[in-house]
Amino acid sequence: MTEQIQNEMNNLNLNQNQSQSQQNDQRRSYIPPHLRNRQGSYQGSDSDSSGSNRYNSNFNNYDNNSNSNSFFRGRGAGRSSFNRSPRTGYRGGRNVNYGPRPDHYHTGRFIDGKQVPGPRNDKIELELFGAVEDPTYQSSGINFDNYDEIPVEATGSNVPDPITSFTSPPLDDLLLENVKLARFTKPTPVQKYSVPIIAAGRDLMACAQTGSGKTGGFLFPTLSESFKNGPRPVETPQDNQMNSFVSQFTSSKVYPSILILAPTRELVSQIFDEAKKFCYRSWMRPCVVYGGSDISSQIKNIQRGCDILAATPGRLNDLLERGRVSLKAIKYLVLDEADRMLDMGFEPQIRSIVEQNDMPGVNDRTTLMFSATFPKDIQVLARDFLKDYIFLSVGRVGSTSENITQRIIYVDDNDKNSVLLDILSASENGLTLIFVETKKMADTLSNFLILQQFPATSIHGDRSQSERERALEMFRTNKASILVATAVAARGLDIPNVTHVINYDLPTDIDDYVHRIGRTGRAGNTGVATAFFNRNNRNIVRDLIDILSEANQEVPDFLLTVNREGLKPKRGGGRTTGTRDYRRQNNSSNGGNWYSNSSSNGWNSFGSQPSGQSRYQKGGSSQPLSQQGYGNPSSQNSWW
Ligand SMILES: Nc1ncnc2c1ncn2[C@@H]1O[C@H](COP(=O)(O)OP(=O)(O)OP(=O)(O)O)[C@@H](O)[C@H]1O
């Protein structure tokens, strides 16, 4: 594949020979309609080989950078130097001196029950938080204040009042300093609620629109508490004199306080980047582990200290089986993209991690779940992992942000390439993310775009880890401004300046659509999402109409027509995504009072938390979990 792309790039070389030129001329026969009859305005077709086309320099960059494999570059990560000796003999307890830490960015210590922050360092601050004008760092957009208008509903017993600004308490002083360095001036709605809820020790299921700051929603309160109180005291083999023989072999085990599970490597890497920012100068050292990458270097890294662990489930299971990680010090379990983490693909691995290892039980830890979508059946299943939780919804569950202008175009399959080229030729600035349904299609389409002289690259589950990292890096830094992706890039990725998301193939599930288009219009910025629709997508038409109407978007007539055409009414009607806390819809049985706290209308409701059975079987295969390919989306979902 790499060779093929290389060849194609060579074909685009400025010094191509005549035969290549002719060959390319034949292949580059397309001229977008709006540019036809305009002289010199489009060099993609019939162009001379003088190098005048606008994309060649980008390709050369792409080519030249093929050795740059740091996905983390430009986001503060990947620049850390792990050059001090490993820390061993981790012991919990407030009277223990933690540190010095082996990374240059978290130089604090936890001494005698108190955090002593490390010194400030301009260079590291630039590395972690970027310069104000640096476009590779997300800055909040013109519509950021509009988040305040979104109705918020928090249901459950004794919901704490929201905060209105970043203050100490409930947030820790050092955390506040780091929030300021990140240039966050006020909390987003999900953060306003999650901070006091988590500070009160409550479990939480939080549903908020894409790009509205859920990562901070779980990092700020969990880090604040940990900065203040230090790690949970646990007995380790090193503590037990009788056990000195065992300790020789187990001293390399690490005992994180916070475990964050997310479905893809890219997403856990991004969470790790965010954690590094907010852990700056603290006693806590964040780590990341994911499949598809050398496990021994990840083991070496976590052995240097691992207080916050962002992990894909498959790789974590592997480390647990190897005895490299203990979960007995866990205070916070976070499931990011929780509905994805609890769907059929991941549920057995999550159960194994949570129920079949040494993690404290549900009453002895705080469990937090975040997503933009929460289907009702997943809400029911999630109860197994939660205790007396608060359900928080910012806007309607599963709704899309009004910062995203959604356009649905009727395009027959055969015309998709042609229409896509029209759109891409007309677009000027910003990054474009194109979603297709299969890995093969991702390659085919990105190759096609490259041949049409568009600076494209692709990401999907069949590409190697370094290829995936490189593709994202090229996209993030605008060296390849078009990324063709499968659903592997649908969730969570926060890439600044993605101005356009194109659903070349619509997904079959409306929640996937919500996550995909949410790669644009983030942090109060605006964006456009275009979808190619035809009768093959009729299964999604009703949900699409609902989504568009809710977000005050235009609903084209053809959608209404297709919806009327011979569609059997859905049983129960509408989307599978719950519109709110499912307990409110099932509040007839009794079992404890709970109520809601709504910022939009002061709504109050009393009910109970019903019991129910998970739709999925517990347990799973007898095969070791690490061998089941968990955490590797490609092995779970061959179309990714
Ligand atoms: N309080 C804040 N002020 C300004 N920007 C913020 C704030 N909180 C978060 N952001 C920024 O908003 C962007 C989106 O945040 P984040 O990635 O946490 O969104 P999300 O809700 O998790 O989205 P998704 O559902 O797609 O995962 C990030 O670039 C983040 O740095």
Side-chain angles (χ1 to χ4, degrees):
M1 184 63 235
T2 316
E3 197 176 63
Q4 191 187 341
I5 292 176
Q6 184 74 52
N7 289 339
E8 286 157 1
M9 286 179 184
N10 290 341
N11 285 344
L12 298 169
N13 194 293
L14 303 183
N15 301 319
Q16 61 199 349
N17 63 34
Q18 177 110 27
S19 68
Q20 278 176 320
S21 176
Q22 280 166 357
Q23 206 182 12
N24 288 345
D25 283 349
Q26 279 165 12
R27 282 187 290 191
R28 282 187 244 134
S29 57
Y30 180 83
I31 303 175
H34 66 285
L35 294 175
R36 283 170 205 155
N37 305 323
R38 280 200 218 169
Q39 281 190 340
S41 58
Y42 177 76
Q43 289 93 22
S45 165
D46 301 329
S47 64
D48 59 35
S49 54
S50 64
S52 57
N53 90 60
R54 62 183 169 141
Y55 300 122
N56 271 348
S57 60
N58 280 334
F59 279 118
N60 289 337
N61 276 340
Y62 180 82
D63 200 9
N64 290 341
N65 275 286
S66 59
N67 288 329
S68 140
N69 66 356
S70 173
F71 162 56
F72 309 114
R73 218 183 52 203
R75 304 283 296 176
R79 289 174 271 199
S80 45
S81 56
F82 303 121
N83 52 6
R84 296 192 206 165
S85 59
R87 181 180 60 136
T88 54
Y90 184 110
R91 290 178 176 81
R94 300 188 57 164
N95 297 323
V96 175
N97 177 348
Y98 280 80
R101 316 296 298 190
D103 285 310
H104 59 298
Y105 53 85
H106 56 98
T107 47
R109 294 162 175 233
F110 196 76
I111 305 172
D112 297 334
K114 204 164 173 273
Q115 174 168 265
V116 180
R120 289 188 63 163
N121 179 314
D122 289 346
K123 199 162 153 247
I124 295 165
E125 285 176 17
L126 189 64
E127 205 176 281
L128 289 175
F129 301 100
V132 183
E133 66 283 0
D134 185 343
T136 61
Y137 289 78
Q138 184 87 262
S139 54
S140 50
I142 46 166
N143 291 343
F144 189 80
D145 285 340
N146 294 355
Y147 283 138
D148 290 339
E149 315 284 309
I150 303 174
V152 180
E153 212 168 77
T155 50
S157 62
N158 304 317
V159 179
D161 288 334
I163 57 168
T164 52
S165 55
F166 288 126
T167 52
S168 169
L171 293 169
D172 175 84
D173 287 329
L174 177 62
L175 193 276
L176 285 184
E177 285 182 44
N178 292 340
V179 164
K180 208 167 159 192
L181 285 171
R183 295 178 282 279
F184 292 0
T185 50
K186 67 173 184 177
T188 64
V190 66
Q191 293 163 3
K192 284 179 184 171
Y193 278 79
S194 70
V195 166
I197 289 170
I198 298 168
R202 299 294 301 277
D203 283 5
L204 175 65
M205 189 186 288
C207 190
Q209 290 173 351
T210 52
S212 66
K214 292 186 285 294
T215 315
F218 59 77
L219 283 180
F220 299 160
T222 55
L223 294 181
S224 272
E225 186 281 328
S226 304
F227 289 178
K228 190 160 162 252
N229 296 325
R232 180 197 284 264
V234 289
E235 188 179 89
T236 68
Q238 295 92 328
D239 292 329
N240 188 343
Q241 294 300 317
M242 299 296 290
N243 218 352
S244 58
F245 176 76
V246 177
S247 75
Q248 287 175 41
F249 301 98
T250 54
S251 60
S252 54
K253 205 174 243 191
V254 294
Y255 297 80
S257 299
I258 302 174
L259 174 63
I260 303 158
L261 296 171
T264 64
R265 307 158 196 176
E266 287 76 15
L267 191 46
V268 289
S269 298
Q270 188 178 287
I271 293 166
F272 167 65
D273 285 354
E274 287 298 289
K276 285 205 308 182
K277 285 183 198 169
F278 298 109
C279 285
Y280 171 53
R281 297 169 60 216
S282 78
W283 68 267
M284 301 190 86
R285 181 174 195 265
C287 287
V288 61
V289 295
Y290 48 77
S293 214
D294 177 36
I295 195 164
S296 51
S297 55
Q298 289 181 356
I299 290 172
K300 270 188 212 144
N301 185 17
I302 60 175
Q303 283 174 355
R304 295 183 168 109
C306 176
D307 305 303
I308 303 156
L309 182 59
T312 52
R315 179 51 57 95
L316 178 59
N317 267 311
D318 201 341
L319 292 166
L320 289 166
E321 282 169 14
R322 292 173 188 230
R324 297 301 188 166
V325 176
S326 164
L327 301 177
K328 67 176 159 185
I330 290 295
K331 291 203 271 188
Y332 298 100
L333 167 66
V334 183
L335 302 187
D336 195 18
E337 306 299 344
D339 54 333
R340 174 78 187 99
M341 300 305 291
L342 293 176
D343 76 8
M344 276 193 279
F346 282 106
E347 191 218 344
Q349 313 166 57
I350 303 295
R351 281 201 187 280
S352 167
I353 291 166
V354 177
E355 296 171 350
Q356 289 160 28
N357 284 281
D358 53 356
M359 185 185 293
V362 68
N363 292 321
D364 295 317
R365 62 166 197 259
T366 301
T367 308
L368 310 168
M369 302 194 180
F370 285 76
S371 185
T373 50
F374 258 114
K376 186 178 160 192
D377 48 0
I378 298 286
Q379 288 188 40
V380 173
L381 174 62
R383 289 177 332 112
D384 287 2
F385 301 92
L386 295 159
K387 59 174 186 302
D388 186 25
Y389 64 95
I390 289 169
F391 185 93
L392 175 66
S393 62
V394 180
R396 185 188 185 277
V397 174
S399 62
T400 54
S401 164
E402 288 192 27
N403 294 330
I404 307 167
T405 303
Q406 299 177 55
R407 296 188 310 192
I408 315 291
I409 312 175
Y410 197 96
V411 186
D412 282 323
D413 286 345
N414 289 339
D415 297 330
K416 282 183 175 179
N417 281 4
S418 160
V419 175
L420 179 65
L421 292 179
D422 278 356
I423 292 172
L424 294 177
S425 303
S427 61
E428 292 180 353
N429 298 317
L431 307 178
T432 301
L433 181 55
I434 303 172
F435 282 104
V436 294
E437 209 47 21
T438 63
K439 295 180 269 196
K440 189 159 178 271
M441 191 58 202
D443 282 337
T444 307
L445 187 60
S446 71
N447 290 344
F448 168 74
L449 292 175
I450 288 167
L451 289 173
Q452 298 295 333
Q453 303 193 2
F454 286 94
T457 184
S458 69
I459 183 167
H460 58 72
D462 267 359
R463 299 202 77 183
S464 69
Q465 181 58 23
S466 61
E467 285 174 330
R468 281 164 67 156
E469 289 175 2
R470 189 161 65 242
L472 269 181
E473 176 69 2
M474 300 308 292
F475 185 55
R476 200 187 283 283
T477 54
N478 203 3
K479 286 175 186 141
S481 62
I482 299 168
L483 181 66
V484 184
T486 56
V488 74
R491 283 179 179 256
L493 286 189
D494 184 52
I495 299 176
N497 205 24
V498 174
T499 48
H500 199 172
V501 172
I502 299 175
N503 273 294
Y504 181 97
D505 295 322
L506 269 165
T508 51
D509 184 319
I510 196 68
D511 288 346
D512 292 340
Y513 173 81
V514 170
H515 287 278
R516 286 181 183 191
I517 70 168
R519 296 319 97 211
T520 189
R522 301 176 69 75
N525 292 286
T526 55
V528 175
T530 304
F532 294 173
F533 176 92
N534 60 43
R535 282 184 170 72
N536 294 332
N537 307 117
R538 59 166 72 89
N539 72 305
I540 206 179
V541 69
R542 180 182 292 191
D543 292 337
L544 207 47
I545 292 170
D546 287 350
I547 283 274
L548 293 169
S549 314
E550 274 164 29
N552 297 321
Q553 303 291 308
E554 188 192 331
V555 180
D557 286 345
F558 62 79
L559 280 189
L560 301 170
T561 306
V562 173
N563 188 36
R564 280 194 297 269
E565 282 172 7
L567 259 189
K568 284 189 225 146
K570 266 192 191 169
R571 244 180 282 157
R575 307 167 58 189
T576 52
T577 280
T579 54
R580 51 169 54 160
D581 183 351
Y582 93 98
R583 296 173 299 181
R584 282 192 68 193
Q585 295 151 351
N586 296 274
N587 63 3
S588 53
S589 63
N590 263 322
N593 285 334
W594 58 287
Y595 69 97
S596 111
N597 185 357
S598 166
S599 71
S600 56
N601 57 9
W603 171 87
N604 249 349
S605 164
F606 292 87
S608 63
Q609 189 171 332
S611 64
Q613 279 301 310
S614 150
R615 66 174 175 159
Y616 300 120
Q617 279 192 329
K618 296 195 183 192
S621 162
S622 55
Q623 204 181 0
L625 283 159
S626 57
Q627 287 170 29
Q628 293 178 34
Y630 292 139
N632 176 356
S634 59
S635 64
Q636 286 295 312
N637 302 281
S638 58
W639 62 93
W640 277 17

